[in-house]
Amino acid sequence: MVFLYGESFKLKKSKLDKLNGNLIKSFFKRAEHYADIGEHDKSIDDLTKIIELNPQHTDAYLSRGIVYLKIAIINRSHTKINNLNSNKAMEDFTKVIHLDPVNKEAYYYRGRVYGQHKYDPAKAVEDFTKAFELTSDERRKVLILLYRAKEYDRVPRRTWNNLWSPRELDIKAIDDYTKIIELDPEYANDGNGINVIHRPQFDYKPTGYIYEKYHSMGYIYELRAELYYKIGEYSSAIDDYTRYLSF
């Protein structure tokens, strides 16, 4: 049988592409609503349908990974559920990076999985560093630095496999807290926290974005003070504790 790919076929393909595009938009919208009301399984089902329609759709993988991560966070005390969903989140974020090697959000969220669910601070720092390099938004950089600093300060230190000495890790964490203060001096001065829901501007609004809270800068001074004290820089520790007490 001979197949003729003429104008009629092109027209049908154009209509099919448009239909698929409309379906994808609808699935995304419904998936977001499901995620917002805590119907995570239904949100995942809709995002999976998008991936079936377009296996290269990075936003669908990213959004589904975030929903999986949200489930893992909610069920942190349930080891089996936590592990199952954090593994699925990891797979989706890694898929995004494979399809789009400069996707800053995929690196950031995979760093969250490595650090908070896989307890692999070295890989978490690697991903947070990549996300930081790719990010231009200063508020977002503050959040990335906060998570990276906490990985440098992770206990027990044996999880670092002697990559750096405890003192070197403390200094790296101090450096990140210092960068936070330099990046966000307005909030460093007035002590206000910033509550945000992070929703990057994609073609379709990603779903299930995890609620993020920026700590007040008083908290950052307190964390840095504790590290200064640990490494024996007592004068700097006192200065930071004094700043912390002023908030």
Side-chain angles (χ1 to χ4, degrees):
M1 181 180 291
V2 178
F3 291 91
L4 301 176
Y5 296 92
E7 291 301 319
S8 177
F9 172 81
K10 291 178 181 177
L11 182 60
K12 288 179 180 179
K13 184 177 185 304
S14 176
K15 288 181 177 179
L16 182 62
D17 289 342
K18 184 176 181 180
L19 177 62
N20 282 348
N22 290 335
L23 280 174
I24 286 171
K25 289 180 182 179
S26 297
F27 280 132
F28 250 116
K29 191 171 185 63
R30 190 170 70 175
E32 181 174 30
H33 289 320
Y34 278 139
D36 286 342
I37 63 173
E39 296 278 0
H40 300 120
D41 289 341
K42 291 180 180 179
S43 180
I44 287 168
D45 287 343
D46 277 353
L47 292 167
T48 301
K49 289 184 177 77
I50 294 170
I51 292 168
E52 290 170 354
L53 287 168
N54 181 0
Q56 308 298 309
H57 207 298
T58 55
D59 289 352
Y61 285 109
L62 178 64
S63 296
R64 191 176 67 174
I66 291 167
V67 178
Y68 281 132
L69 178 55
K70 190 172 184 179
I71 296 171
I73 291 171
I74 292 169
N75 294 280
R76 193 185 295 275
S77 61
H78 300 279
T79 304
K80 187 175 181 179
I81 298 174
N82 184 352
N83 288 341
L84 176 65
N85 285 280
S86 61
N87 286 341
K88 288 181 177 180
M90 178 76 74
E91 290 174 6
D92 277 352
F93 298 142
T94 300
K95 179 68 173 180
V96 174
I97 292 167
H98 174 73
L99 293 171
D100 179 12
V102 293
N103 192 302
K104 56 185 179 294
E105 295 303 322
Y107 285 109
Y108 165 71
Y109 283 108
R110 193 174 70 172
R112 293 278 302 271
V113 177
Y114 274 132
Q116 296 174 297
H117 298 272
K118 301 304 176 187
Y119 306 107
D120 191 335
K123 288 184 178 179
V125 162
E126 184 178 343
D127 274 356
F128 287 141
T129 300
K130 187 69 174 178
F132 183 84
E133 291 169 351
L134 293 169
T135 300
S136 57
D137 182 85
E138 291 193 353
R139 295 283 177 83
R140 194 64 173 159
K141 284 187 173 185
V142 166
L143 188 64
I144 295 168
L145 287 170
L146 178 58
Y147 277 108
R148 190 174 70 176
K150 288 184 175 182
E151 292 305 321
Y152 285 134
D153 197 26
R154 180 172 293 283
V155 177
R157 291 300 177 80
R158 64 175 177 273
T159 56
W160 277 97
N161 297 320
N162 298 317
L163 188 60
W164 288 297
S165 71
R167 181 181 175 83
E168 287 173 324
L169 290 169
D170 288 337
I171 291 172
K172 286 179 178 293
I174 287 170
D175 288 345
D176 275 357
Y177 290 135
T178 301
K179 287 174 186 172
I180 289 173
I181 294 167
E182 291 171 350
L183 277 170
D184 211 348
E186 177 184 350
Y187 291 92
N189 288 331
D190 69 14
N192 289 329
I194 315 161
N195 294 330
V196 297
I197 295 177
H198 177 67
R199 297 186 187 277
Q201 299 301 310
F202 293 119
D203 291 338
Y204 307 104
K205 188 182 290 184
T207 69
Y209 267 66
I210 297 165
Y211 179 77
E212 306 282 19
K213 178 174 180 176
Y214 288 95
H215 296 281
S216 76
M217 283 301 159
Y219 173 69
I220 302 300
Y221 281 119
E222 181 186 24
L223 292 173
R224 194 173 68 170
E226 291 171 355
L227 289 168
Y228 275 134
Y229 185 84
K230 280 174 64 178
I231 66 174
E233 293 191 15
Y234 302 120
S235 177
S236 295
I238 290 170
D239 287 344
D240 271 1
Y241 278 126
T242 301
R243 292 188 183 98
Y244 165 67
L245 292 170
S246 69
F247 280 85

